Amino acid sequence: MKPSRPYLYCIADGPGSPILRGRGLRGADVASMPFGGVWALWSEFAGAGDFMQGDVMAHEAVIELAMTHSAVLPMRFGAVFAGAEAIRRALEGRHPQFRAALDRLAGKVEVGVKVLWKAGEVKEEIRTGGPKPGAGNGGANGHAPGTNYLLGKFREHLLARGLEERAAGVAGQIHGRLARCASEAQVEILPTENLVFAGSYLVGREELEGFRARFERIRAGQPGLRFLYAGPWPPYSFAGAGEPGGEEPGSTPSTQWPWRPRAHLARPWLCTSGRRRGGCGESGSCRCV
Amino acid sequence: MSVALESSRRVTLLETLDRVLSKGVMIDGEITISVADVDLIFLGLKALLASVETAEKLRREGPRGRMAEGVP
């Protein structure tokens, strides 16, 4: 039988709630460990190394329940510790970061927006409207096979660059408008060819309605694109208070807007973050149009 | 179950997995038993994930960015 170890769900601004009893992984009771005004919500878990889909859902469910009572810093799934003492050491060692992050995230939730297009159609537009390598000198057909190969590679490169630039343009417009209604925002541009961008937005609970209204207005004005709206979520994308080598809360991200397209599509994990003060205005509509 | 509802649940599941497995706080000193595998999945996948088990299967078949195609 595998040894039971503590599994950590989140760092919270409160001691949790009796409703978390029996709601942990595999039905375990969720306990809370206090340290200097922050709490670690955890449970015993004997299945380390053997996670199942239900465990992922239970992880999320515990954090969602916890966030109805207090600010939370959600852990990435799979945070197993050697023992309760290891969790206590983590709380002790990172207490200032946890405290600052909880204060920063209090009353806020994360919203995800994804915008999709049909990359094949966009490429066709670029192909028919863009420069034609080889045009004006007889075209590729008149060249040796090696030259044709290189011209083909050049066309692929132009196409990839064209797609990146268009995605950056769309993201700059749509993500920019959404980010102005959020406390903080991140964007990942063209993670796949059909996904123009995936944005995450930290939004005050009382501003959610206005943010959603803003989203719907933008969607209505872009009939050629598909939109996905997801949330509210625990602030997974904005809780980076403990990542080794990661950004400390509130730090300036390494990549700034405007985004510059790169020469290839490999892992464009590009983020930008806009911070703004104040809310989205009253009557459910953002004033930062 | 209606098609719309089914689609909605698939998207929700995808969004949940995307966040829970690839975002959130990591702390030095965690035991990362099998979690390394989860990270590997997301390095190459960005796919429609019916489950962690399915993700493992997809990873073995080779990474492909199929997420967008998978979104209904």
Side-chain angles (χ1 to χ4, degrees):
Chain A
M1 186 175 168
K2 291 180 178 172
S4 178
R5 291 200 165 99
Y7 180 94
L8 182 58
Y9 300 90
C10 60
I11 307 297
D13 203 11
S17 158
I19 60 170
L20 291 172
R21 190 168 298 138
R23 301 299 294 268
L25 268 59
R26 318 282 168 96
D29 289 340
V30 177
S32 62
M33 179 190 297
F35 185 91
V38 303
W39 283 260
L41 302 191
W42 64 284
S43 68
E44 291 290 345
F45 180 59
D50 189 23
F51 288 117
M52 300 190 299
Q53 181 185 323
D55 297 330
V56 179
M57 295 304 154
H59 173 99
E60 169 64 12
V62 166
I63 297 171
E64 287 196 16
L65 280 170
M67 73 184 280
T68 62
H69 290 78
S70 71
V72 295
L73 305 179
M75 298 295 297
R76 188 174 300 192
F77 177 78
V80 177
F81 285 77
E85 179 58 23
I87 294 183
R88 201 199 64 79
R89 280 197 302 272
L91 285 177
E92 186 178 7
R94 293 186 173 274
H95 182 269
Q97 292 98 314
F98 288 155
R99 183 68 263 163
L102 285 168
D103 291 342
R104 194 178 108 253
L105 298 175
K108 292 169 182 155
V109 292
E110 178 172 331
V111 172
V113 170
K114 287 184 168 71
V115 172
L116 299 109
W117 61 17
K118 291 181 177 171
E121 292 177 5
V122 179
K123 281 182 171 178
E124 192 53 39
E125 278 179 33
I126 297 170
R127 205 177 273 124
T128 53
K132 310 263 189 308
N137 61 2
N141 289 339
H143 295 299
T147 308
N148 279 339
Y149 172 79
L150 289 175
L151 281 170
K153 283 289 182 191
F154 183 51
R155 279 191 205 96
E156 285 175 21
H157 170 75
L158 284 182
L159 216 46
R161 287 293 300 271
L163 205 62
E164 284 184 328
E165 284 168 8
R166 285 204 182 194
V170 173
Q173 187 190 358
I174 297 175
H175 168 75
R177 288 178 68 189
L178 291 171
R180 282 194 292 277
C181 289
S183 301
E184 296 173 37
Q186 296 179 1
V187 68
E188 187 184 342
I189 297 173
L190 216 60
T192 71
E193 282 197 344
N194 286 320
L195 185 53
V196 185
F197 75 87
S200 299
Y201 307 89
L202 186 66
V203 182
R205 285 181 189 277
E206 71 279 9
E207 294 165 357
L208 265 178
E209 197 180 326
F211 185 87
R212 181 65 189 250
R214 162 63 53 93
F215 167 83
E216 294 297 348
R217 280 198 299 275
I218 294 172
R219 170 152 71 179
Q222 299 280 355
L225 298 170
R226 296 190 60 210
F227 289 72
L228 294 174
Y229 181 101
W233 299 92
Y236 281 98
S237 302
F238 302 96
E243 297 201 11
E247 291 161 359
E248 292 301 319
S251 69
T252 304
S254 54
T255 307
Q256 296 289 334
W257 197 264
W259 178 76
R260 303 284 180 218
R262 300 195 300 190
H264 55 81
L265 287 173
R267 300 199 49 74
W269 292 101
L270 298 173
C271 292
T272 184
S273 172
R275 283 165 167 271
R276 58 181 281 279
R277 297 170 68 91
C280 271
E282 295 171 6
S283 70
S285 118
C286 297
R287 60 172 178 256
C288 43
V289 181
Chain B
M1 183 187 293
S2 74
V3 172
L5 183 56
E6 199 170 55
S7 297
S8 161
R9 285 187 181 168
R10 278 168 59 199
V11 171
T12 303
L13 178 61
L14 170 66
E15 291 283 342
T16 303
L17 292 173
D18 190 17
R19 279 186 166 68
V20 174
L21 297 183
S22 66
K23 296 172 180 173
V25 178
M26 292 179 74
I27 296 178
D28 297 339
E30 288 173 28
I31 300 172
T32 50
I33 300 167
S34 90
V35 177
D37 293 336
V38 175
D39 286 343
L40 282 176
I41 293 165
F42 271 81
L43 279 177
L45 191 54
K46 303 297 287 182
L48 175 65
L49 303 171
S51 69
V52 177
E53 289 77 16
T54 305
E56 276 285 8
K57 181 164 162 281
L58 289 170
R59 182 171 67 84
R60 283 196 297 274
E61 290 170 1
R64 278 284 182 275
R66 277 178 273 181
M67 178 178 182
E69 290 85 350
V71 174

